Amino acid sequence: MSNIKKVNCPRCNKEVFTVVRSLTGAESARSKYQGICNQCITPEENKEMMSEQAKAIINYGGGSHSPAGRW
């Protein structure tokens, strides 16, 4: 099964590709903004999405799975 799927932007119906599961662990951002193309997403939405992704990465980095512990 592929981790990428083809969907239509819910705002303009443009065909886009999206991930099935968030790569950063930001599932709430993925589900909220999934499929919205880069022409339709607002700067505010993009900022919120990036912020949620950054928080998920930081939280992941502090866990036992952190790659930092191996460097």
Side-chain angles (χ1 to χ4, degrees), residues 9-59:
C9 174
R11 297 181 182 172
C12 71
N13 207 37
K14 178 182 177 181
E15 188 176 86
V16 295
F17 291 89
T18 188
V19 293
V20 173
R21 218 174 95 225
S22 172
L23 302 175
T24 62
E27 286 297 322
S28 62
R30 184 202 55 83
S31 62
K32 185 174 182 179
Y33 300 113
Q34 184 175 23
I36 300 175
C37 73
N38 60 354
Q39 284 88 22
C40 290
I41 197 162
T42 67
E44 294 80 16
E45 289 171 329
N46 193 47
K47 184 177 178 178
E48 181 182 341
M49 180 177 60
M50 294 298 194
S51 177
E52 288 184 37
Q53 288 178 348
K55 288 176 190 174
I57 291 168
I58 290 168
N59 289 338

